[in-house]
Amino acid sequence: MGNSPRMVRISSAALLLAAMVCSIAAPRALAQDSPPQALYTVVPLENSVTPEMVAGAVAAATTIPMWNYSVTSPLDGHVYSGSMVGRSAFFNGARTTNVPTFLVPLIIKMPDGGTFDPTVADASCSPGGTPLNLTQNSPMMVPVAFTMNGVGVGTAQYVDAYQRANFWSNVSVTGNHYHTVLSPVTTLAAVTVTVPAGKGATFATTAFGGCNPIGVMTFNWFDGFVTGTLLPALAAQGVGPTNFPLFLMKDTVMSTGNSPTFPSGCCILGYHGATGFPTQTYSPIDFDTTGIFNGTTNISVTSHEVGEWMDDPLGNNPTPLWGHTGQVNGCQSNLENGDPLSGTLFPAVTAPNGKSYQMQELAFFSWFFRQSPSLGTGGKFSDNGHFTSDAGAVCM
């Protein structure tokens, strides 16, 4: 999905640092029976914060560690520059980077009484455990042995393994020494978010065979609340620009208009953003138990957004035009590595807790910039080989 504007208006919704028992109000009827689509978006860093300012903050360690790259695309001969999380994959050597990460469960309370709580067990729709516990113990947080395109890339968290595979021709020469890790991961107490009237609602999903109702908030209200109220309130607990907060929701998505709608104008399941100076990166993510979105399961939303945060942390890394794949019907020109393969899952992986997880497949750097041969594992252009060639001619 294309870039979304940042909302400058701040909500007055209250923050309550306590968990609540889940209760679902009678969901409202659907206006139509068109199935909803799982969508993802990005809130890029505002233009007033220049690359030079960000570079200075990185050097001063007042924001997360990032490295810069410049690549000439053979497609158009243009030089494209951007930044990624961690340390450069183009410098050989032991370059492990740990990014302190906060996992923040959000209990969403809708104005119609619907409550969506990722800390509560749901034996019917999420029998494996609570969304919070399943996320904490998933390959997004816990290292697992990964093979990507027939190449063992080591024991790592999924997005760390992806990044190794992404630049395999560079990092493999040092063996198992290049990593970018979410560590330490600290889970904070659940935060209750009370959505104001007109900005959220509960809807039934039975028309699509859904297991649970779904909560829908307006995107602009919610992002304004995250950046203007939630992040400042969590600063006392250590959440700030030098770490990465992940806001975990259950069966809660966002619509694009000024009022909550479903299934039209819906559904953004997750996004990542960057704001302010020193720059704070962040990502709200949904753990879906409704089962109504094709190609979406347990932590696939998390993998999509953390993967994009890793390779496009400020949301403004430019690329040659690409499109007509994944969720993109038209053309895009940014390094959002989840969008071209939205709905395409990586093969199931069993974590140490014995649970099976499926992350989303992610596109490689070489796919966007039309590099041949690919820098990635097996000469492929995505981490499970769905893309066997680059993005092709300029998107029209």
Side-chain angles (χ1 to χ4, degrees), residues 38-357:
L39 297 172
Y40 306 85
T41 193
V42 59
V43 179
L45 183 64
E46 50 265 36
N47 291 333
S48 60
V49 182
T50 66
E52 292 76 18
M53 293 170 65
V54 173
V58 170
T62 56
T63 188
I64 58 170
M66 287 180 271
W67 59 281
N68 297 324
Y69 66 86
S70 290
V71 57
T72 301
S73 174
L75 180 70
D76 54 18
H78 292 169
V79 176
Y80 294 87
S81 299
S83 57
M84 293 188 179
V85 177
R87 300 291 185 265
S88 176
F90 296 111
F91 291 128
N92 296 332
R95 303 186 67 80
T96 295
T97 306
N98 294 305
V99 182
T101 300
F102 286 97
L103 186 59
V104 187
L106 299 184
I107 303 171
I108 307 296
K109 297 189 69 177
M110 295 296 176
D112 55 20
T115 300
F116 300 86
D117 187 345
T119 72
V120 171
D122 183 349
S124 298
C125 303
S126 183
T130 69
L132 175 59
N133 182 263
L134 288 170
T135 301
Q136 289 170 318
N137 292 285
S138 74
M140 293 300 301
M141 309 293 174
V142 179
V144 174
F146 277 101
T147 297
M148 296 180 170
N149 301 322
V151 178
V153 296
T155 298
Q157 297 169 342
Y158 174 66
V159 173
D160 177 26
Y162 156 79
Q163 195 73 329
R164 285 173 54 77
N166 191 16
F167 295 106
W168 188 247
S169 64
N170 295 85
V171 304
S172 61
V173 298
T174 64
N176 196 33
H177 297 297
Y178 179 85
H179 292 277
T180 310
V181 186
L182 304 181
S183 177
V185 178
T186 303
T187 301
L188 298 184
V191 175
T192 297
V193 177
T194 303
V195 183
K199 300 304 179 183
T202 305
F203 294 88
T205 62
T206 50
F208 313 114
C211 189
N212 267 330
I214 196 166
V216 181
M217 302 179 291
T218 60
F219 179 87
N220 278 348
W221 172 80
F222 180 66
D223 188 57
F225 174 80
V226 169
T227 57
T229 301
L230 184 55
L231 284 169
L234 292 173
Q237 298 185 63
V239 175
T242 60
N243 51 63
F244 177 45
L246 276 166
F247 298 106
L248 178 66
M249 301 178 289
K250 176 199 174 193
D251 297 336
T252 306
V253 299
M254 289 147 279
S255 59
T256 56
N258 293 323
S259 60
T261 57
F262 177 83
S264 63
C266 196
C267 299
I268 299 170
L269 276 66
Y271 69 98
H272 68 104
T275 184
F277 183 78
T279 298
Q280 173 74 65
T281 62
Y282 62 98
S283 180
I285 48 177
D286 176 47
F287 190 107
D288 180 70
T289 70
T290 69
I292 63 174
F293 299 103
N294 290 331
T296 301
T297 181
N298 48 56
I299 59 166
S300 61
V301 177
T302 307
S303 62
H304 181 119
E305 292 306 331
V306 176
E308 292 186 338
W309 164 83
M310 180 82 76
D311 278 14
D312 192 18
L314 306 180
N316 56 15
N317 286 346
T319 68
L321 281 171
W322 58 270
H324 306 295
T325 180
Q327 71 175 48
V328 182
N329 296 321
C331 300
Q332 260 180 230
S333 59
N334 55 8
L335 192 59
E336 292 290 285
N337 55 9
D339 290 355
L341 288 163
S342 295
T344 301
L345 296 175
F346 192 86
V349 173
T350 300
N353 64 352
K355 306 295 184 182
S356 179
Y357 292 89

